[in-house]
Amino acid sequence: VTANLYLPKRGSPPYPAILFPLGHEPGAKAYPVWQQLLVTFAQRGYVALAWDTIGQGERIQMFDAAVEGSILRSSTLEHTEQGIQCLLAGDAFARYTVWDGIRALDYLLSRPEVDAKRVGVTGNSGGGTHSAYLAALDDRLQVAAPSCFLTTWGRLLETIGPQDAEQCIPGFLGAGLEHVDFVLSFAPKPYLMLSAIRDFFSIAGARSTFSQAEAAYAKLGAAGRMAMQDTDEGHGYSKELRLASYRWFGKWLKGVEEQEGETAIQPAPEHELWCTRTGQVSTSLGGETVFSLNQKRVRSFNALPDRKVSPEALRKIIGWRDSAGAAQVSRYGRITRAGLTVEKLLLETEPGIRLPAIVVSSPEPHAARPGVLVADGRGKSQAWPQIQALAQGGAVVMAVDLRGLGETRAPAALYTKGDEWASWFGDYDSAMTAILLGRTLVGMRAFDIEKAREVLASRAGVDSRRIYGAGHGAGAVAILHAASAGTPFAGLLLDTMLGSYRAVIEHPLHRRIFENVVPGALRHYDLPDLAAGLAPRPVWVVDPVTPMGQVLLPDEAKGTLARAPSTHVVLRFPEEDPAKAYRYLLE
């Protein structure tokens, strides 16, 4: 871990100290505003320590010499790519970033110049996040001043949505926790909230959190130890906030009311602050990365080749919540297409969750026809060739847009973090919000599938004992989980599904995997384990893909997925009719 230590040139030790976790700005510990703060603290008689956060500065985890930087170009993208691996391993990415901060504090307190009883923490944005984390988790800190982070989860979800992986702790909201709990964990020690009125972290939420915290401090007899400073600025540790922090730390760590201003400094160029010869730990020193540590962790508890998980256990793992009663069905007319009858429906699987669906069948009367439930991750409109082939083969086909897919998917323009973020993580906001609630989007979609299957099974002319499931992409992951959680499909077809969660751990890059993540899954099962566990029911796995979406090679596909005689791996030929494989369900 590369770090810079700032030491006073005047006065006598032991000095008070400042722990300074970084935000996501370019240059990491060399960012000019951070240098301004750290130099000023040293000039005022503090020892200050800043270290490169994972994915920043000299600690880029996915460094590419050809581009002289991160493959992903952004620390938040790196955090969240690796955060997916952490989640599958049953951890949070913050496991690593918080530990860096605790070890940084260990080092700071080991310095003979530092008074261990006078130590504060402050940082902005991602550094504000870790100031809040570390203040709550480490009793050695006496004063805290997070900047441009604290708000409320309600306002956060209404505005910019959950942020990158380090700022999201699985189950946090499900446990009933809020941002104010970071402050209350530190009470009654001195706490200053630094906020910007025009920040993307809601100022209304920040003021609400301060109001709650202020009331709690007053009840503890420590009213003067809780304060808030806001400024009419955008996101950043602006001068007014810096001056407020100098005053706050001076009052509580030095016992003086410092009112002097701030002298502008000439920041050092980034290379002068390097701790490595090349400017990168990976090329100068090597060592572990979050990627390599996750691999070791998963290998340590994933040694058994075959693992079975009961439907009851799986429901608990994916955060399944039963809802009483059948889905409510609204009908929106019929049309005829390609000689088939298409009935348009809206299914309300639980209050407020309304899913568009169609039921397609040939008009000729047939008694007790098989049913097929289709869940396509691209949306049902993209599955028409498969739907048509199944219906012409004699099945009654219901195709449903699961929550967050097809007609229910938010337009790309509404993704709060931009098109690039969506291209890597898909509907990140919905999936991460579910994880924060202690649930999963996979589990919610599996629940939708069970309710939709019940509607299909209740239709006249459908043989309820011969209802099959067919999924594509994210829909395949959801339908596999639904079947493994007890939804009684007679067989499954899984098209273009992620070959395994384990592959996500073994490959540093993966795209649009986030919606399919089940936290802690690899502690209990992998996708091939679920497919094998459905035996003797047939499971057709068609064109399974790598974490980057490429079809697996034949030997790898069969070696990964064909763990039971009833699991059949099918790889299409180029230019082959994509609907052809779906007919296996009706044979």
Side-chain angles (χ1 to χ4, degrees):
V1 178
T2 45
N4 293 157
L5 184 75
Y6 290 74
L7 292 165
K9 289 185 175 180
R10 293 179 294 175
S12 300
Y15 300 106
I18 299 293
L19 190 70
F20 193 79
L22 300 183
H24 298 128
E25 282 76 6
K29 61 187 182 302
Y31 184 60
V33 175
W34 304 159
Q35 291 192 56
Q36 177 70 62
L37 267 160
L38 293 160
V39 168
T40 303
F41 274 124
Q43 290 172 340
R44 294 185 180 217
Y46 300 86
V47 177
L49 179 67
W51 65 98
D52 282 327
T53 303
I54 291 169
Q56 293 176 258
E58 295 179 82
R59 296 184 68 207
I60 291 174
Q61 302 284 282
M62 298 182 179
F63 183 76
D64 187 331
V67 300
E68 298 181 342
S70 172
I71 297 170
L72 294 172
R73 299 185 299 169
S74 160
S75 59
T76 53
L77 286 173
E78 274 204 8
H79 292 169
T80 307
E81 276 284 273
Q82 294 171 332
I84 291 171
Q85 297 170 333
C86 292
L87 287 170
L88 289 171
D91 298 323
F93 183 79
R95 163 195 179 92
Y96 298 102
T97 54
V98 167
W99 184 242
D100 282 349
I102 291 172
R103 296 298 283 154
L105 181 57
D106 288 344
Y107 174 73
L108 185 61
L109 296 181
S110 77
R111 297 288 302 204
E113 304 93 338
V114 170
D115 182 347
K117 295 183 179 180
R118 293 188 293 157
V119 183
V121 62
T122 188
N124 185 79
S125 190
T129 303
H130 283 85
S131 297
Y133 285 174
L134 293 166
L137 292 169
D138 200 312
D139 290 336
R140 296 173 295 176
L141 294 165
Q142 286 85 43
V143 184
S147 176
C148 289
F149 166 65
L150 290 171
T151 179
T152 63
W153 269 107
R155 288 295 298 147
L156 195 66
L157 296 178
E158 290 169 353
T159 52
I160 56 175
Q163 295 301 285
D164 65 303
E166 67 176 351
Q167 299 188 49
C168 297
I169 309 300
F172 192 88
L173 296 179
L177 296 171
E178 250 292 1
H179 275 203
V180 71
D181 291 298
F182 292 125
V183 185
L184 300 183
S185 297
F186 198 68
K189 292 186 282 188
Y191 206 105
L192 174 64
M193 282 180 56
L194 300 168
S195 300
I197 292 172
R198 288 181 275 121
D199 195 358
F200 46 74
F201 284 102
S202 166
I203 187 64
R207 288 169 175 163
S208 174
T209 288
F210 172 69
S211 177
Q212 296 174 64
E214 184 181 41
Y217 267 72
K219 290 181 180 179
L220 293 170
R225 294 182 172 220
M226 182 69 220
M228 179 178 180
Q229 176 70 54
D230 60 29
T231 182
D232 189 12
E233 298 279 357
H235 186 74
Y237 215 141
S238 56
K239 185 173 183 179
E240 187 174 355
L241 298 183
R242 298 197 299 272
L243 294 175
S245 74
Y246 303 144
R247 292 193 297 269
W248 188 254
F249 288 114
K251 178 178 181 179
W252 295 108
L253 294 181
K254 296 198 295 185
V256 296
E257 296 281 351
E258 297 179 322
Q259 298 298 326
E260 63 262 37
E262 179 185 74
T263 301
I265 67 153
Q266 180 62 42
E270 185 174 355
H271 70 269
E272 286 189 11
L273 300 180
W274 282 355
C275 307
T276 60
R277 180 182 58 82
T278 63
Q280 286 299 319
V281 168
S282 62
T283 53
S284 288
L285 304 174
E288 300 280 12
T289 64
V290 172
F291 173 60
S292 66
L293 289 171
N294 274 321
Q295 285 183 316
K296 290 181 178 180
R297 286 178 63 74
V298 168
R299 289 168 186 168
S300 73
F301 53 69
N302 195 29
L304 296 177
D306 295 303
R307 292 175 298 168
K308 293 183 179 180
V309 58
S310 70
E312 296 76 21
L314 183 61
R315 288 188 178 216
K316 185 175 181 180
I317 293 166
I318 64 177
W320 183 292
R321 293 187 185 177
D322 283 314
S323 178
Q328 300 299 307
V329 181
S330 302
R331 291 174 170 78
Y332 288 85
R334 297 186 180 196
I335 61 172
T336 299
R337 183 176 180 183
L340 300 170
T341 299
V342 181
E343 183 179 355
K344 296 185 284 186
L345 309 175
L346 194 67
L347 311 181
E348 186 166 11
T349 56
E350 60 179 316
I353 302 299
R354 300 179 180 90
L355 308 177
I358 56 174
V359 177
V360 183
S361 61
S362 59
E364 296 83 6
H366 293 285
R369 286 183 285 181
V372 180
L373 181 67
V374 174
D376 196 303
R378 305 163 300 177
K380 63 185 182 304
S381 63
Q382 298 298 308
W384 177 253
Q386 293 85 343
I387 295 168
Q388 181 178 347
L390 290 167
Q392 290 173 341
V396 178
V397 184
M398 173 182 281
V400 58
D401 282 338
L402 306 176
R403 66 187 80 189
L405 299 176
E407 292 184 74
T408 72
R409 194 171 190 86
L414 296 183
Y415 290 138
T416 57
K417 297 162 193 66
D419 291 343
E420 183 180 27
W421 191 273
S423 74
W424 282 103
F425 306 121
D427 190 355
Y428 176 83
D429 286 7
S430 296
M432 183 56 91
T433 302
I435 289 170
L436 285 161
L437 289 167
R439 302 182 67 185
T440 67
L441 192 54
V442 170
M444 293 175 174
R445 288 171 174 172
F447 174 82
D448 291 340
I449 287 164
E450 179 166 275
K451 291 300 179 182
R453 185 207 170 277
E454 290 172 359
V455 172
L456 179 58
S458 69
R459 291 181 66 92
V462 173
D463 184 348
S464 62
R465 297 167 300 176
R466 290 193 296 153
I467 295 182
Y468 302 89
H472 184 287
V477 174
I479 214 162
L480 175 59
H481 278 84
S484 301
T487 303
F489 287 109
L492 295 183
L493 186 140
L494 308 171
D495 188 359
T496 320
M497 185 183 77
L498 175 67
S500 70
Y501 285 145
R502 179 67 178 267
V504 179
I505 301 295
E506 299 296 341
H507 294 79
L509 282 178
H510 25 88
R511 190 181 286 276
R512 302 185 75 87
I513 297 297
F514 201 89
E515 294 179 54
N516 298 320
V517 166
V518 173
L522 286 172
R523 292 178 179 268
H524 307 280
Y525 68 91
D526 201 349
L527 299 177
D529 298 317
L530 296 185
L534 294 174
R537 288 173 286 174
V539 177
W540 299 92
V541 184
V542 181
D543 286 353
V545 297
T546 70
M548 285 297 287
Q550 301 299 313
V551 176
L552 288 170
L553 295 173
D555 288 347
E556 186 178 359
K558 292 176 182 177
T560 299
L561 288 149
R563 296 187 180 179
S566 56
T567 302
H568 312 283
V569 177
V570 178
L571 300 178
R572 298 183 180 99
F573 294 106
E575 307 302 325
E576 184 178 342
D577 177 5
K580 179 180 176 181
Y582 282 65
R583 297 189 181 95
Y584 288 121
L585 282 173
L586 305 180
E587 291 180 353

